[in-house]
Amino acid sequence: MSPTITAFESSPDRGRGQARDMRVRWALEEVGQPYDVRLVSFKDMKQPAHLALHPFAQIPTFEDGDLALFESGAIVLHIAERHAGLLPDDANARARVIAWMFAALSTLEPPIVELGMAMLFERDKSWYEERLPVLKDRVRVRLGELSRRLGDADWLDGAFSAGDLMMVTVLRRLNASGLLDEYPGIAAYVARGEARPAFRRAFDAQLAVFIAGSKGS
């Protein structure tokens, strides 16, 4: 029996693959695990059945037999621990990859999300033009640190891993900001992730949902 994940019935990102179900789709594609998708509306996400899976009324969720999980990072780690391909066998290397997963979610994503939310929802505010450079500079600090650490390497720690998967999906949230263009090494890193066949399959799958929804509306 295949695991089931939840995704937006009508994604706010208009099929650009920035919703967090994309991370789980990509991980499942990387390890070759078939999966089912249950689409949920914003109304569905407030209902008891979904809240029992995700107490914060978000997506994705992951159900596999008796196991139900929420939070994309926890789901990706669970997948990586149970299938070969996303975590190294060496214990120390494995620990470093998990550290990169946490870094993507805890260090890089918060300022990136704050910037994105401001660009989407605060443009009409009187203080937007003054605040925007501050938010961008906070992201630049993290991108500079990441760029120095990545250097000329293809991936964060040896072979492609769950750490790279999480980091690339976080960095892709900057596509509309133009900030990645300031860091060619990071832009190339993201492009390498996006070029992986498993990424393309996951991206096409979530885009198909948006296309189908657009035709039906």
Side-chain angles (χ1 to χ4, degrees):
M1 186 175 178
S2 299
T4 299
I5 69 170
T6 50
F8 287 124
E9 182 180 82
S10 179
S11 180
D13 76 350
R14 300 179 64 83
R16 293 192 293 267
Q18 294 180 355
R20 289 179 174 89
D21 65 288
M22 180 65 191
R23 303 164 181 181
V24 179
R25 291 176 184 268
W26 186 5
L28 290 165
E29 293 287 354
E30 284 284 351
V31 302
Q33 170 63 57
Y35 61 100
D36 297 318
V37 180
R38 184 172 65 254
L39 302 178
V40 294
S41 66
F42 288 103
K43 181 180 179 181
D44 293 334
M45 292 161 63
K46 304 289 187 184
Q47 301 305 310
H50 187 77
L51 290 172
L53 298 173
H54 200 310
F56 304 109
Q58 298 177 348
I59 59 97
T61 61
F62 174 94
E63 297 169 82
D64 189 10
D66 294 334
L67 176 66
L69 290 175
F70 64 98
E71 290 296 329
S72 61
I75 297 169
V76 170
L77 180 57
H78 171 78
I79 294 166
E81 287 180 330
R82 282 153 182 78
H83 301 272
L86 288 175
L87 288 175
D89 293 330
D90 176 77
N92 287 348
R94 194 181 187 94
R96 291 194 301 270
V97 164
I98 294 171
W100 278 116
M101 294 179 69
F102 276 81
L105 297 176
S106 299
T107 303
L108 272 293
E109 190 166 45
I112 289 174
V113 168
E114 188 177 16
L115 172 63
M117 296 296 281
M119 294 176 68
L120 280 174
F121 300 115
E122 299 177 5
R123 289 181 180 273
D124 60 340
K125 305 299 183 183
S126 60
W127 33 259
Y128 175 74
E129 294 298 333
E130 183 177 356
R131 184 168 185 251
L132 187 63
V134 175
L135 296 178
K136 286 188 172 182
D137 283 344
R138 289 176 184 168
V139 174
R140 287 188 178 102
V141 169
R142 295 308 186 197
L143 292 179
E145 293 164 341
L146 179 63
S147 179
R148 287 190 291 274
R149 180 58 181 264
L150 180 64
D152 297 327
D154 285 344
W155 307 113
L156 292 170
D157 196 303
F160 176 83
S161 72
D164 296 295
L165 186 153
M166 296 303 296
M167 189 66 76
V168 168
T169 57
V170 167
L171 294 170
R172 291 187 73 254
R173 300 177 73 94
L174 291 171
N175 285 347
S177 72
L179 286 175
L180 290 181
D181 296 335
E182 299 177 20
Y183 301 86
I186 294 182
Y189 168 68
V190 172
R192 281 192 293 276
E194 293 175 331
R196 293 181 68 83
F199 176 91
R200 299 313 313 173
R201 291 193 298 271
F203 184 90
D204 290 345
Q206 63 80 38
L207 179 60
V209 174
F210 173 75
I211 293 173
S214 298
K215 289 179 178 178
S217 60

